[in-house]
Amino acid sequence: MSLAGLEFAFFFPVVFLLYWLGPHRASWQNAVLMLASAVFYATWDMSLLAVLAGAMVVSFGAGLALGAPSLEEGPAADDTTVRRRRRAILAVAIGAELGLLGVFKYAGFFAGSLNALLSAAGLPDMLPVLRLALPLGISYTTLIQVGYLLEVYWRRTPACRDPLAYATFVAFFPQLLAGPIVRAPGMLRQYGAARLLSPDVLASGAGAFLLGFAMKAFVADWLSPRVVDPVFANPAAYTAGTLWLSLLGYATQLFCDFAGYSLMAIGTGRMFGLELPENFRYPFLSKSLAEFWRRWHISLNTWLFDYLFAPLTTGRSWFRGRAGAGFLVVFLVSGLWHGATWTFVLWGLAHGVALAIHHTYDLWYKGRCRKDRRYVAWRKAGPYVLASWAVTQLFFLLTLIPFRAPDLSAASAFATGLLGFGGQSGLAERFGLQAAACVLFMLFFHLLEVGRGPALKQGFLALPAPLRGIVYGLILAFLMVYVPVGASTFIYAQF
Amino acid sequence: MDRSGMRQLLIDWLDDNYHFGEADSKIGSDDASFLDNGILDSLGFVALVVYLEDSFHITIDRKNLNRENFNSVNKILDYVVLRTGGAA
């Protein structure tokens, strides 16, 4: 089952009614959500439910041990033995979580790569290559649980003592497939108290869900089979213009697929009185790569920043104060997190190197600003801003080639084709109204965030409810006519 | 060093690295949130932590190191004063 699938239209009302019509208690609400999450998970793979449950038992137990009164803050908290014991508990628990992810997601990749290396040196294969089924959402649930363990270890959040609340926090079904990656401080508080049904929150949740569904089903799923998939399957056959069009189409598809899913998850959460974290904030307006990563997949990037980059570059190791080296590490991890293939490693490396270069340039430019204030003014001027925006977006676009290509040779064929060394084919069909609607949608979506856009949006939301209802109704009718029922799966669910 | 001296060091750092002479006017109130008012981004926070630790010879506890409670002139100064006993 997926949030955009037909089954969900039957599943959601049942869960919604059970949730709100039952006793108004946190335990009842969490129990309904946990049961619904188990059913949701089981529709994908029943047998792997045990893996998720096992991982939750480990991190919940470790959280309790870290937060045990004997190891908590107090006169003994700074005692060396206590510190060592807490560190050991953390290391074992994080080791178990990452070990599980490693076995399911990376064992095959590393064994295959080692064997390929040995084979190139004329030696026989050394390791068997495991091809295990990846448990649904394991990349997301692992990060959620590792983040929780670090928060408890650093004593920034108390250990959760309610197993039902903890399990729901980790495996709440809207976030299971593709995030957002929730954080303990913001979410455990919400699961600890009974939620209230409010018409405003319900309307806002339904609106977010509808917008997300439109992005996924109308834009992403329309573009994928027509503009993206055929070209990426055989890039050498297409003209440079077609390849550029396909790359732009893929950027739009990826954004609408993933941001759409995130909005559907956030909207679903809101309809249960829960506020999941924001995941996208108009990334195509970014004027630097650092800004881009603060706007794209926000929950992953803030996770990597807070739990990897910040400890690495503020700790006592060689990385202290070396942001460039920190970027390289973080984006190599991000690349591998996205998938156990060399194309994702290349994608992560490209972003890490680019961020390190930009950081060095930024330091140099700030040096100029200190000496001559005209540099400050130039940086705020239109041409500089426009050039920064164009370079940032072009770089992101080009790095989508290894992100989408099935292997390095296909990525290389696509890249050379963009320069005019490709084939002669164009896209099979001419596009009319729906293609224009996709482009206009993306433009309006981002333009509503600049200039007078936010005021216009507020103006629409302030319209009388019946008028807004008519607009929403027209959108629904439009989607029902044009959107194929049974949308495909989400790109980020594979990670 | 007293609190006002520490404040001046913080403002000088913000001027040198982010606001080039406009830090004081951009901050407005010493209780204003750095993140909400565009004074510092997350990368800036990391650089600030390294700067404060090196300048005042303190170690900033991870417990205190998050965006919510390390996010304004007053909150930062409160912490540094606490850790240095008011002298650096």
Side-chain angles (χ1 to χ4, degrees), chain A residues 296-352:
Chain A
W296 179 285
H297 204 172
I298 298 168
S299 64
L300 171 68
N301 290 306
T302 50
W303 193 102
L304 288 170
F305 186 88
D306 290 345
Y307 299 131
L308 185 58
F309 182 88
L312 200 62
T313 55
T314 61
R316 296 284 156 199
S317 73
W318 176 86
F319 286 96
R320 181 176 175 80
R322 290 186 162 97
F327 287 134
L328 267 179
V329 172
V330 163
F331 274 87
L332 276 175
V333 170
S334 178
L336 271 174
W337 179 88
H338 278 87
T341 65
W342 288 109
T343 49
F344 284 120
V345 173
L346 178 66
W347 172 84
L349 189 67
H351 276 281

Side-chain angles (χ1 to χ4, degrees), chain A residues 73 154-156 294 305-306 309-311 313-314 316 320 327 366 369-370 373 376 380, chain B residues 16-18 20-22 41-43 46 49-50 53-54 58-59 62-63 65-67:
Chain A
E73 235 174 344
W154 286 328
R155 298 189 172 105
R156 295 203 301 219
R294 285 195 295 272
F305 186 88
D306 290 345
F309 182 88
T313 55
T314 61
R316 296 284 156 199
R320 181 176 175 80
F327 287 134
K366 282 173 179 170
C369 291
R370 277 182 219 116
R373 291 290 150 85
V376 180
K380 291 176 184 166
Chain B
D16 272 354
N17 293 285
Y18 291 91
F20 309 103
E22 295 173 0
D41 57 20
S42 43
L43 276 178
V46 167
V49 166
V50 173
E53 288 187 335
D54 291 349
I58 56 173
T59 301
R62 297 255 163 253
K63 182 178 178 182
L65 195 55
N66 65 42
R67 288 150 209 247

